[in-house]
Amino acid sequence: MAAKPGSVPTTYSPNLAQKTRPPIFKDNDLDWVRPDGRGFHQCRPAFFRTGAVNSASGSAYAELGNTKVIVSVFGPRESKKAMMYSDTGRLNCNVSHTTFATPVRGQGLDHKEFSSMLHKALEGAIMLETFPKTTVDVFALVLESGGSDLPVVISCASLALADAGIMMYDLVAAVSVACLGKNLVIDPILEEESYQDGSLLLACMPSRNEVTQLTFTGEWSTPDINEAMQLCLDACSKLGKVMRTCLKEAASASQE
Amino acid sequence: MAKPIPKVGSRRSGRSSARKSARRIPKGVIHVQASFNNTIVTVTDVRGRVISWSSAGTCGFKVSLRKKSVNPFPLNTCSGFCCTPKEMVGLSAGEKHFIQGGIAQDLRLDGRKRLTYRPIYVETGIIPQAHGSARVRLGATDVIASVKAELGKPSALQPDKAKIAIYVDCSPTAAPMFEGRGGEELSTELSVALERCLLGGKSGAGAGIDPTSLVVVEGKVCWDLYIDGLVISSDGNLLDALAAAIKAALSNTGIPKVDVAAEATGDEQPEVNISDEEFLQFDTTGIPVIVTLTKVGKHYIVDATSEEESQMSSAVSISVNRKGHVCGLTKRGGAGLDPSIILDMISVAKHVSEQLINKLDSEIAAAEASEE
Amino acid sequence: MSKTEYVSPEGLRLDGRRPMEMRQLRAEIGTVAKANGSAVFEMGNTKVIAAVYGPREVQNRSQLINDHALVRCEYSMANFSTGDRMRKPKGDRRSTEISLVIRQTMEACILTHLMPRSQIDIFVQVLQADGGTRSACINAATLALADAGIPMRDIVTSCSAGYLNSTPLLDLNYIEDSAGGPDVTVGILPKLDKVTLLQMDAKLPVDIFENVMGLAVEGCKAIANYIREVLLENTKQLEFRRGL
Amino acid sequence: MGLPNASGDLSTEVEVDAFRRLFPLRFFEKHLLESIRPDARPLGRARDTTIALGAVASANGSALAKIGSTTMLAAIKMEVMAPSIEIPDEGCIAIDFHMPPICSPIVRPGRPAEAAPVVAKQLSDTILSSGMINLKELSLVSGKAAWMAYLDIYCLDADGALFDAALLAAVAAFSHLEIPVVSLNDDGKIVLSEEQGLSDREPVNKEKRKVNLGSIPFSLTCILHKNYILADPTAEEESIMETSVTVVLDSSSQLVSLYKPGGAVLAYTSAIQDCIALTRQRVKELQKILEEAISGMEVD
């Protein structure tokens, strides 16, 4: 019969008959079109909703293109017994993917790198001293991965924190930029990410104009860095507005 | 191999001597140390626990004596790479103030300026079993990197690129908190940061090591590189030290030349002969160095010791290659930074990296020469 | 078992040593600056670092012992320490066993009753493994404990010996170790002339065993002499640096 | 929750919320006397239920099911396997149920929830024994290749009746499942065919793009407490009153399975029959909801 654990045969997902897909753009080709028809400096439309999970103290759902993320916040609640006394609060982050998030079926394991990046992006924004001796748990689940997963997780998590009523200096909005050949492409999708020469991720608090997390990969020259950072900062402030509206709508809806 | 003179007791000089030897002195001790233009007064109890420490003669006995009975032993603490400010125990308010004050005056605890590195010592070829290895010491930070190459098959998605992986391990010898699985979090964080800074983007652009140069037969055979880092002793700035060790290990690496014996058809793996005599050397000029700028107060410093790291508000690690291009960047630490400050840090890092690359290259060359 | 000759007709071993010859020893004290005591110990190609932290406050209150010190030990191997590169999960069976052996051996010689309610951590890290890691670890741990100034009854030294091609061999290297012959690891307190550790696998006639063990004990004594020299040299250096 | 508290010793003096926390059982029992539940449902009524199909684009079939605030996301990924020698012309279904830390304050990362493997086992037993899917339909080339359907169900919000919601999501995902067109290449491997038939090879499963769902199982969990039967409990109700009965019926009202995992209340046959009767009603509701969801999908 089926589904005997331990005796599952090895499986593979059927690939396209063609061995390799042609690259989505050619080198030095300046006027290629992005696979989803966006402009280079155009973000995907963002959809945010708070209160996605009832049993959590705060939660949010974010959808940008095919990237779908849900984040729950629990706490502030008692820190684990083994933890030493701390006069500031603790932040605990965990990011995991569903097995069906990626085109190839994954294992659905925790993503340690994302977890620590999320932690670093958020800790600067949260007023940890407002909840001593306790822990705030931020758990994220990537339902579907469609590129730029981490920035979406970060933005969504800050919204969930706001929904949970955790004191923050500002919302954290995050955006990534991919460098493809000579072009800078904002908010890349999965396909673009797999061809990128370099990437830049920026998380910031838009109204304080403070960067909480920043990473680069690949080779960047100074003018490119300036341009990419400016692009990200602008996009973050726009994203911040969208997030703010979402919170306001949720608040006014609950008042009614 | 030029083994350094056993640096017995070198660490017993300076401040740590106060802590260390105090254990053997049966009474409370006041240590007065005149350094540069400051005078440090350190009061320790019998157990070596610093009761108070102040600079310029302002010695306040503010710490209540009751506190002494709580912790009968000096707390051996390590502020790791990820240590957040305030979490580091073992530094008194006076000590913290002293560190911060020194940095503000451009005169750090060990007499360095803000943008000066500690002396770097490089030893290469210390692990004969590996294809390449190096040990780098930066002050009391001590790391080993080894490179091992294994014949493998490139992935179907990128048939012209070999796999390069970096794993870092934190030995519990460096700090008791790395015991068991305690070092795992830091190890992953360091590995990820190094991969980000040294291996370039997804398409391989900007990588220090060219993954196409390791391919023997496209789509069939390639050398997979496994780079292992081991932290033996940690006194801050692990990332820079590890990156330097990896650079040194790679320039020490010789990969055996491979001849393809018979051209295989279809899906078969071609047979290969591994040569014993001819070795392939890497061109390591393109490998970037990592410069970590740690922000303490309003200023930033390079090559922070663990005491200084405990006082940081945030730190930015920037990897810069010889051309002055940024090859990777990671930020850590909670506090936010103004974008203009980040840009300024990048330009400072570029400036510092020039000296660092030159210094490191000459150290590597000297180490290689002494090895032969 | 293969018919490899481990001892040539001229009486030389694979690495050119004589049967009773030990590999080159090298020791260095104080390699880990942050530790209370540390040492590197090399026996030929086997290279081990040991670091000692403590005596300090007991971290886990439930492990606190009222009348003597708690001694803990962790043994770990670097990824690059063996010929084949592998990533082992921490705390596999072999390292747990060796940790236990080192802990028990060291605990026997530390004057734990002088340091009640405290904890001493010994961490050993193998940088290169070429046979005899167990012995090298114990020797390194002794040096590190001495460097940390922890009171001990005596130094503990350890050495291994084996029996291959009807010849007792001192200080086996990896190839000899994996030949499948008997392997006797001995740890002694040289001044008291007492054996604290004795491990042997494979079977061996009693009279030959006595021979092999005698050889290992001789090895331990030689190591003890070397360790004493290193410690003395270190003390002299310390004296010099203090300006005494 | 506007119910006035009946006169009592403490209850008159404390606020409703405090009373609920301090004496949860008495709070509920007072409601039960009035034949109503704290969320204003009658005892036998299930919570509002919705199904959204095609929630995950990267999967071959997916569905999001909500019962009250309990939310389940199910997705099916089809992969190819070599069938076992004993049954060369049957495919396989691998069912897994996950409770990620986001779903409930009880679950923490690294420590899987106790309930997850239990529900997973129940689900795979139910789905495989109900005969909803004929495994022969999942065969591609007899003895050479067959489909392995990986069904993963994620609990996004846990608020009681996890099994009911998970089963509903799983069933809905199967009804949304669209099997890709594939063909056999020279190496004996299965590859995707282009949609427009650009491939020169004949697809091996042109006719089998959808699986035929036989009798579809639906379930209802009831809580037994004293003489009361509460359909579709919330997490709070489940934590207070521990005896639950889960009845699974298929679309033709045949009993597929029945679980009563212990509990303090010993159920009489009459109580079980009442549960089955409630389930029968519920199955009709669920069938309608599922049909609406499917027809809504087709309109799009």
Side-chain angles (χ1 to χ4, degrees):
Chain A
M1 274 296 284
K4 278 174 229 145
S7 66
V8 179
T10 47
T11 58
Y12 61 94
S13 65
N15 289 320
L16 272 180
Q18 267 169 294
K19 271 235 157 169
T20 45
R21 284 172 298 171
I24 48 169
F25 76 105
K26 290 184 192 72
D27 288 329
N28 305 323
D29 185 0
L30 283 175
D31 40 44
W32 52 279
V33 185
R34 296 178 70 170
D36 51 1
R38 276 182 290 154
F40 289 166
H41 298 168
Q42 195 183 348
C43 290
R44 290 173 291 183
F47 171 78
F48 291 101
R49 205 186 70 196
T50 54
V53 178
N54 249 29
S55 46
S57 340
S59 62
Y61 170 80
E63 188 175 326
L64 273 88
N66 272 341
T67 309
K68 292 169 189 144
V69 170
I70 196 161
V71 181
S72 296
V73 172
F74 296 97
R77 58 185 178 185
E78 189 186 7
S79 291
K80 266 189 238 156
K81 286 272 160 60
M83 295 276 206
M84 278 201 295
Y85 168 81
S86 155
D87 54 359
T88 63
R90 279 174 216 274
L91 178 67
N92 176 27
C93 297
N94 181 279
V95 182
S96 53
H97 284 73
T98 58
T99 53
F100 43 78
T102 45
V104 179
R105 186 173 184 273
Q107 290 296 308
L109 294 174
D110 289 359
H111 205 307
K112 278 191 184 155
E113 187 193 338
F114 277 16
S115 307
S116 86
M117 295 273 279
L118 177 63
H119 183 272
K120 281 180 224 156
L122 294 177
E123 69 176 342
I126 302 173
M127 298 183 189
L128 289 171
E129 61 279 6
T130 55
F131 45 96
K133 295 196 278 184
T134 51
T135 305
V136 167
D137 289 302
V138 178
F139 298 140
L141 181 69
V142 179
L143 300 180
E144 194 178 342
S145 150
S148 305
D149 295 351
L150 185 58
V152 178
V153 167
I154 293 172
S155 313
C156 187
S158 84
L159 210 56
L161 282 166
D163 183 45
I166 308 284
M167 298 266 269
M168 287 196 287
Y169 296 109
D170 191 6
L171 286 170
V172 180
V175 170
S176 66
V177 162
C179 179
L180 285 144
K182 289 196 172 88
N183 300 299
L184 292 177
V185 174
I186 202 162
D187 196 16
I189 60 167
L190 208 57
E191 203 178 351
E192 290 165 329
E193 273 185 340
S194 64
Y195 289 103
Q196 69 192 4
D197 295 318
S199 67
L200 181 150
L201 183 148
L202 185 138
C204 74
M205 297 187 267
S207 32
R208 283 166 66 98
N209 196 32
E210 254 184 38
V211 178
T212 61
Q213 176 63 303
L214 176 69
T215 57
F216 283 54
T217 56
E219 199 169 344
W220 292 80
S221 65
T222 314
D224 278 351
I225 292 174
N226 286 333
E227 193 191 336
M229 273 182 65
Q230 202 49 52
L231 262 176
C232 281
L233 287 170
D234 291 346
C236 281
S237 66
K238 278 181 200 150
L239 193 65
K241 274 181 201 139
V242 176
M243 288 158 69
R244 223 164 266 274
T245 349
C246 164
L247 275 182
K248 274 183 199 156
E249 275 169 13
S252 58
S254 69
Q255 273 175 4
E256 285 161 18
Chain B
M1 229 187 278
K3 296 282 178 216
I5 317 156
K7 41 179 223 84
V8 182
S10 64
R11 65 200 170 82
R12 277 169 178 69
S13 60
R15 196 177 61 79
S16 58
S17 88
R19 289 191 159 195
K20 185 101 186 175
S21 58
R23 220 195 294 143
R24 288 156 205 155
I25 297 170
K27 282 169 190 165
V29 189
I30 297 177
H31 298 260
V32 182
Q33 193 176 15
S35 75
F36 311 104
N37 48 6
N38 245 324
T39 310
I40 319 165
V41 181
T42 314
V43 184
T44 64
D45 69 358
V46 192
R47 296 288 196 183
R49 188 186 153 79
V50 173
I51 297 169
S52 172
W53 176 6
S54 184
S55 64
T58 51
C59 178
F61 286 88
K62 280 171 194 160
V63 181
S64 78
L65 288 169
R66 190 175 53 84
K67 226 176 171 180
K68 225 175 18 173
S69 59
V70 180
N71 279 325
F73 299 106
L75 281 165
N76 277 300
T77 49
C78 166
S79 90
F81 173 80
C82 55
C83 186
T84 49
K86 290 173 205 159
E87 237 172 81
M88 167 142 169
V89 262
L91 279 188
S92 67
E95 281 172 305
K96 286 176 191 168
H97 180 75
F98 185 66
I99 291 170
Q100 284 164 358
I103 288 168
Q105 289 172 35
D106 201 9
L107 182 64
R108 284 154 70 179
L109 218 56
D110 44 10
R112 283 185 290 155
K113 288 194 175 294
R114 281 197 288 264
L115 297 181
T116 329
Y117 265 80
R118 288 172 284 186
I120 297 182
Y121 299 101
V122 180
E123 266 180 76
T124 53
I126 59 151
I127 309 285
Q129 284 153 339
H131 287 102
S133 58
R135 174 182 179 188
V136 164
R137 281 185 293 147
L138 254 179
T141 297
D142 195 339
V143 296
I144 290 180
S146 92
V147 179
K148 266 195 186 167
E150 282 171 20
L151 277 180
K153 200 180 169 191
S155 77
L157 284 173
Q158 296 185 314
D160 58 339
K161 288 187 188 86
K163 194 169 71 203
I164 304 171
I166 302 179
Y167 298 102
V168 178
D169 217 356
C170 293
S171 167
T173 54
M177 65 180 246
F178 297 151
E179 190 189 349
R181 324 193 101 229
E184 240 165 51
E185 199 179 322
L186 176 60
S187 302
T188 359
E189 202 177 331
L190 287 168
S191 313
V192 168
L194 284 168
E195 284 192 346
R196 187 177 294 130
C197 290
L198 299 179
L199 301 185
K202 276 234 174 77
S203 70
I209 315 147
D210 185 8
T212 53
S213 67
L214 292 162
V215 175
V216 181
V217 182
E218 189 173 315
K220 299 275 168 57
V221 188
C222 66
W223 283 108
D224 285 334
L225 277 195
Y226 294 95
I227 303 174
D228 283 300
L230 180 72
V231 177
I232 291 175
S233 170
S234 101
D235 186 18
N237 209 17
L238 291 176
L239 199 58
D240 296 18
L242 280 166
I246 289 173
K247 190 177 160 98
L250 282 170
S251 53
N252 176 247
T253 303
I255 289 178
K257 249 207 164 116
V258 172
D259 298 316
V260 181
E263 198 58 51
T265 49
D267 269 356
E268 284 170 54
Q269 281 288 348
E271 273 183 39
V272 289
N273 283 327
I274 301 168
S275 149
D276 293 338
E277 285 134 27
E278 282 181 280
F279 288 94
L280 189 103
Q281 289 275 335
F282 281 117
D283 176 26
T284 51
T285 47
I287 296 175
V289 290
I290 298 182
V291 176
T292 302
L293 290 167
T294 308
K295 194 160 180 275
V296 179
K298 280 182 184 146
H299 305 276
Y300 23 92
I301 54 172
V302 296
D303 192 19
T305 61
S306 49
E307 276 96 357
E308 288 166 337
E309 270 182 3
S310 72
Q311 297 308 306
M312 76 175 189
S313 58
S314 57
V316 179
S317 298
I318 302 158
S319 89
V320 187
N321 65 9
R322 197 165 259 289
K323 280 184 273 180
H325 286 183
V326 173
C327 299
L329 183 148
T330 348
K331 180 186 167 295
R332 53 178 212 269
L337 285 174
D338 196 87
S340 62
I341 292 179
I342 291 180
L343 290 175
D344 185 45
M345 282 172 129
I346 291 175
S347 71
V348 169
K350 277 182 187 172
H351 178 69
V352 175
S353 73
E354 276 174 38
Q355 301 159 16
L356 182 65
I357 289 176
N358 289 334
K359 172 85 180 119
L360 192 61
D361 281 350
S362 65
E363 279 290 331
I364 292 172
E368 301 244 287
S370 72
E371 196 194 341
E372 284 153 16
Chain C
M1 217 191 284
S2 67
K3 278 283 175 193
T4 326
E5 269 195 6
Y6 291 98
V7 185
S8 70
E10 295 85 49
L12 289 178
R13 283 153 74 175
L14 290 175
D15 50 3
R17 282 186 288 158
R18 307 222 164 252
M20 310 286 206
E21 195 179 330
M22 209 168 348
R23 288 176 289 179
Q24 174 89 42
L25 298 179
R26 200 184 76 87
E28 190 184 322
I29 290 179
T31 39
V32 182
K34 290 265 157 174
N36 293 86
S38 60
V40 175
F41 196 85
E42 285 177 40
M43 293 171 89
N45 271 334
T46 301
K47 189 173 183 180
V48 174
I49 287 193
V52 169
Y53 288 86
R56 56 193 185 125
E57 195 181 4
V58 180
Q59 307 262 280
N60 188 349
R61 281 286 156 85
S62 60
Q63 292 179 321
L64 185 132
I65 308 166
N66 264 322
D67 52 352
H68 56 100
L70 169 75
V71 180
R72 294 177 359 139
C73 176
E74 191 180 299
Y75 167 95
S76 43
M77 282 182 94
N79 289 329
F80 45 75
S81 61
T82 47
D84 301 320
R85 183 195 173 281
M86 47 185 154
R87 262 180 92 69
K88 285 181 293 294
K90 274 199 165 177
D92 60 336
R93 275 192 203 178
R94 186 176 171 275
S95 38
T96 319
E97 190 253 337
I98 299 189
S99 304
L100 188 73
V101 167
I102 301 170
R103 184 176 71 82
Q104 287 173 337
T105 314
M106 300 327 287
E107 206 171 12
C109 76
I110 298 173
L111 299 173
T112 49
H113 63 276
L114 294 181
M115 297 158 282
R117 304 168 70 82
S118 57
Q119 166 180 344
I120 299 166
D121 286 297
I122 305 167
F123 298 112
V124 280
Q125 172 85 44
V126 177
L127 297 183
Q128 276 185 83
D130 184 22
T133 47
R134 213 174 284 248
S135 310
C137 286
I138 290 174
N139 296 335
T142 303
L143 272 171
L145 282 169
D147 182 39
I150 288 170
M152 289 193 283
R153 284 190 181 83
D154 191 359
I155 54 173
V156 195
T157 58
S158 167
C159 190
S160 67
Y163 190 73
L164 288 167
N165 296 130
S166 341
T167 324
L169 301 174
L170 184 62
D171 189 15
L172 303 183
N173 67 20
Y174 180 73
I175 306 167
E176 291 164 343
D177 199 13
S178 46
D183 167 20
V184 181
T185 303
V186 179
I188 61 161
L189 301 173
K191 243 185 189 155
L192 304 171
D193 210 10
K194 277 184 182 161
V195 173
T196 62
L197 166 74
L198 180 63
Q199 280 191 315
M200 186 188 66
D201 38 30
K203 58 182 176 186
L204 202 59
V206 174
D207 50 335
I208 300 177
F209 169 72
E210 273 171 15
N211 236 332
V212 173
M213 189 182 150
L215 188 64
V217 170
E218 283 309 308
C220 291
K221 285 184 179 157
I223 292 173
N225 284 338
Y226 178 72
I227 285 184
R228 234 178 242 123
E229 262 173 50
V230 172
L231 284 172
L232 203 64
E233 181 61 26
N234 181 49
T235 317
K236 279 184 185 154
Q237 289 247 7
L238 269 178
E239 236 174 27
F240 176 72
R241 296 203 182 205
R242 292 256 172 97
L244 290 172
Chain D
M1 267 166 279
L3 277 178
N5 278 308
S7 60
D9 37 351
L10 253 171
S11 53
T12 42
E13 285 136 48
V14 289
E15 283 177 33
V16 180
D17 266 357
F19 183 69
R20 185 179 193 163
R21 287 202 150 210
L22 289 170
F23 308 103
L25 191 60
R26 277 176 51 199
F27 175 78
F28 270 92
E29 280 176 348
K30 282 196 172 152
H31 279 85
L32 295 181
L33 282 175
E34 312 278 330
S35 290
I36 196 143
R37 288 154 77 174
D39 51 4
R41 275 190 284 161
L43 299 189
R45 170 95 56 84
R47 290 168 288 177
D48 287 346
T49 306
T50 54
I51 297 174
L53 296 180
V56 181
S58 54
N60 300 96
S62 59
L64 185 84
K66 275 190 106 166
I67 297 181
S69 52
T70 300
T71 313
M72 293 285 169
L73 178 68
I76 303 168
K77 275 212 164 201
M78 302 296 278
E79 291 199 356
V80 182
M81 61 154 189
S84 69
I85 304 156
E86 299 103 67
I87 29 171
D89 50 359
E90 277 192 11
C92 208
I93 303 172
I95 298 163
D96 212 351
F97 177 72
H98 308 259
M99 285 180 79
I102 62 160
C103 76
S104 157
I106 306 158
V107 190
R108 305 243 176 154
R111 264 183 294 164
E114 271 178 22
V118 179
V119 177
K121 181 79 178 82
Q122 285 185 5
L123 274 175
S124 67
D125 284 354
T126 308
I127 291 174
L128 296 174
S129 66
S130 69
M132 174 172 72
I133 287 159
N134 185 359
L135 292 174
K136 290 207 163 54
E137 276 186 43
L138 295 176
S139 175
L140 284 165
V141 182
S142 178
K144 284 238 178 80
W147 287 115
M148 165 69 105
Y150 286 105
L151 168 62
D152 289 284
I153 302 147
Y154 278 84
C155 176
L156 302 183
D157 197 348
D159 190 17
L162 297 183
F163 177 75
D164 298 358
L167 184 65
L168 186 62
V171 163
F174 269 115
S175 64
H176 174 251
L177 177 65
E178 207 162 283
I179 298 174
V181 187
V182 291
S183 55
L184 200 65
N185 76 355
D186 297 337
D187 302 339
K189 284 220 164 187
I190 295 288
V191 290
L192 282 186
S193 303
E194 300 289 330
E195 284 292 325
Q196 282 79 31
L198 286 172
S199 171
D200 44 349
R201 265 175 275 277
E202 190 61 27
V204 290
N205 64 338
K206 211 167 189 177
E207 305 303 314
K208 300 184 206 162
R209 299 297 306 283
K210 280 263 176 196
V211 280
N212 284 317
L213 298 184
S215 50
I216 303 173
F218 292 104
S219 75
L220 180 69
T221 301
C222 297
I223 288 258
L224 302 184
H225 181 69
K226 293 187 179 161
N227 291 322
Y228 306 106
I229 298 175
L230 286 80
D232 186 24
T234 61
E236 194 186 3
E237 287 164 346
E238 276 181 354
S239 67
I240 296 162
M241 297 165 281
E242 281 170 347
T243 317
S244 72
V245 176
T246 304
V247 182
V248 186
L249 295 177
D250 67 10
S251 23
S252 49
S253 285
Q254 302 267 9
L255 192 63
V256 176
S257 70
L258 201 149
Y259 301 103
K260 183 184 175 290
V265 179
L266 302 170
Y268 293 102
T269 329
S270 61
I272 298 289
Q273 260 158 3
D274 287 348
C275 288
I276 296 175
L278 279 171
T279 313
R280 208 165 277 149
Q281 281 173 29
R282 176 70 174 156
V283 168
K284 285 191 191 108
E285 278 171 48
L286 290 175
Q287 252 176 323
K288 208 172 140 216
I289 293 166
L290 184 62
E291 271 160 25
E292 273 169 13
I294 295 170
S295 61
M297 202 63 195
E298 275 157 7
V299 170
D300 295 342

